Amino acid sequence: MRLMGHAGALLFDIAGFFDTVNPERATRIFRLKGFPTYVCNWIHSFLTGRTVSLKMGTHVSTPCEVHNGTPQGPPLSPILSALYMAFLLDMMSRWSHKDLTMYVDDGAIYAVSATTQAAVTLALTGYEEVLRWLAKNGLSADSAKTELITFTKTRANTDLTGGQIWGGCYAHAHAKCLNITTASTIKYLSIYISQDLKWDKHVNTMINRAKLTIRGLSVLGNSI
């Protein structure tokens, strides 16, 4: 995507993603993707007919049936979950001046425009489309983990760009408008990104983590 001078990025997290994948919807998605019937039937069998028990100390509860979600542990589960989101990515690939990337249950919408406000609006309207698709497919986003950040050239004329954007609002489920405030720094896939696109925050965080690890190893070594 070509940088047009001003950009906005919105990060979101799918709530309980692995636990809420619906077997019926998953099977339908795989059928629409052209998978053979026997594969779709096998996938449906893999996602259904499961029971779980809770164990506290020596007590084990009565098994109860699990109606949604992918089993934890099997290497097939993350693959099925990724394919479950394929239609969303395909739909949003038709966007103009914005795009959507997903890493399992972590999503990022990046939008560019002539002004910061327009970029933010593009990101928020894109997020509303994502929320509608998630709702239709038995999923939802965690509003508490939704973040918004803007990027503007340091020499940009604020009279033309609209100046600093402090936030915006978006429709979410039954709420007509949820407010979101722009952040100066966001964390995406363990990488800290700041508005000025400098890496001081990320570098300092990694240095502090390394120091704590070294200090912990040193203490452990002295105690042996």
Side-chain angles (χ1 to χ4, degrees):
M1 182 180 292
R2 184 172 62 89
L3 181 62
M4 298 175 65
H6 310 283
L10 187 147
L11 307 184
F12 63 92
D13 181 85
I14 299 177
F17 179 50
F18 292 103
D19 296 328
T20 52
V21 170
N22 183 275
E24 305 301 329
R25 290 190 177 95
T27 304
R28 180 174 180 273
I29 287 174
F30 295 129
R31 291 187 191 281
L32 292 174
K33 280 293 182 181
F35 283 87
T37 300
Y38 70 90
V39 173
C40 296
N41 292 340
W42 184 88
I43 290 172
H44 186 271
S45 176
F46 177 76
L47 295 175
T48 55
R50 294 181 292 116
T51 59
V52 296
S53 298
L54 298 178
K55 182 178 181 180
M56 298 183 66
T58 58
H59 175 73
V60 180
S61 69
T62 303
C64 59
E65 188 175 354
V66 178
H67 299 285
N68 290 298
T70 55
Q72 295 185 13
L76 181 61
S77 291
I79 297 174
L80 294 179
S81 301
L83 288 172
Y84 192 81
M85 302 299 295
F87 265 97
L88 173 63
L89 291 169
D90 182 58
M91 288 173 56
M92 304 318 170
S93 66
R94 303 179 183 88
W95 280 352
S96 177
H97 300 308
K98 59 186 175 185
D99 61 23
L100 168 69
T101 59
M102 295 290 303
Y103 184 81
V104 191
D105 57 347
D106 293 314
I109 298 172
Y110 180 72
V112 294
S113 190
T115 68
T116 310
Q117 181 61 67
V120 168
T121 300
L122 278 173
L124 291 172
T125 54
Y127 186 42
E128 290 178 343
E129 289 185 60
V130 171
L131 291 174
R132 287 193 291 269
W133 187 91
L134 292 176
K136 289 180 181 178
N137 289 275
L139 301 171
S140 63
D142 187 345
S143 58
K145 295 182 179 180
T146 303
E147 298 181 284
L148 177 66
I149 192 171
T150 59
F151 307 101
T152 303
K153 290 182 178 180
T154 54
R155 296 181 180 180
N157 187 334
T158 56
D159 292 333
L160 299 177
T161 64
Q164 175 67 41
I165 303 300
W166 300 108
C169 67
Y170 61 93
H172 183 279
H174 301 294
K176 291 184 178 180
C177 182
L178 287 183
N179 294 316
I180 182 172
T181 304
T182 53
S184 58
T185 303
I186 58 175
K187 181 182 178 183
Y188 184 56
L189 303 180
S190 298
I191 297 176
Y192 291 90
I193 305 172
S194 60
Q195 282 184 308
D196 55 12
L197 293 178
K198 295 181 179 179
W199 301 102
D200 297 4
K201 169 72 174 179
H202 182 76
V203 171
N204 291 333
T205 300
M206 295 301 106
I207 290 174
N208 290 333
R209 287 182 181 177
K211 287 180 178 178
L212 289 173
T213 301
I214 295 171
R215 190 177 304 162
L217 292 173
S218 177
V219 171
L220 179 61
N222 292 333
S223 63
I224 296 177

